[in-house]
Structure formats: structure tokens, C-alpha cells
């Protein structure tokens, strides 16, 4: 049905344009997917670091002023 169109210059140009559009859309969607994966990985690493710091934190059996200073330093990160 449309095979005669591919034999013309216009048909080949439209096919090339269609291929280019598909390639651009594919690259865009792959980039978004990689970006979401990288963001999710960064969030998990940040959570893991925070959790590790919490698990190994000094519970402070001494001076409450030292504990308050540690909390203030922690909140500035």
C-alpha cells in the first residue's frame, strides 16, 4: 500500500526523519531512566550513611552539654 512512497525521495526523507525522531525519543527516555536510577541510588547511599552514623553514635553517658553540641553539629550537615 505505502511501499510506493518509500521508493520516492519524499518517502525516504520521511522514513529517515521518522527514524531520527524515534532515536531521539529513545535516548531521552533512557536518560530519564538512568537519572531516576542514579537519584534512587544516591538516596539509598545517603540513608545507609545516616543509618551507619546513627548505629555507631556515641550515646553520651556523660555531660548533656556535649550531647547537645553533638546534636547541633549533626543538624548542620
Amino acid at each position: 500500500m505505502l511501499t510506493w512512497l518509500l521508493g520516492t525521495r519524499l518517502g525516504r526523507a520521511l522514513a529517515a526523519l521518522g527514524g531520527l525522531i524515534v532515536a531521539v525519543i529513545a535516548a531521552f527516555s533512557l536518560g530519564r531512566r538512568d537519572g531516576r536510577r542514579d537519584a534512587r541510588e544516591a538516596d539509598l547511599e545517603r540513608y545507609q550513611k545516616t543509618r551507619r552514623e546513627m548505629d555507631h553514635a556515641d550515646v553520651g553517658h556523660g555531660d548533656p552539654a556535649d550531647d547537645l553540641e553533638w546534636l547541633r553539629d549533626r543538624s548542620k550537615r
Side-chain angles (χ1 to χ4, degrees):
M1 181 173 166
L2 292 177
T3 55
W4 66 269
L5 183 61
L6 289 178
T8 65
R9 239 184 211 182
L10 178 63
R12 288 191 301 268
L14 288 175
L17 180 63
L20 180 64
I21 290 172
V22 168
V24 168
I25 290 172
F28 179 74
S29 62
L30 288 175
R32 285 181 52 126
R33 186 188 68 190
D34 288 346
R36 283 192 306 266
R37 185 186 63 219
D38 292 345
R40 186 171 42 241
E41 185 178 318
D43 287 344
L44 289 173
E45 286 175 0
R46 192 169 40 250
Y47 171 78
Q48 187 179 27
K49 180 179 181 248
T50 301
R51 184 68 208 195
R52 195 176 314 121
E53 288 176 357
M54 288 175 10
D55 289 344
H56 296 100
D58 181 15
V59 292
H61 296 292
D63 187 17
D66 288 338
D67 295 342
L68 184 59
E69 182 179 341
W70 181 87
L71 286 171
R72 284 188 183 134
D73 290 342
R74 176 78 175 98
S75 69
K76 290 179 185 175
R77 292 187 202 171

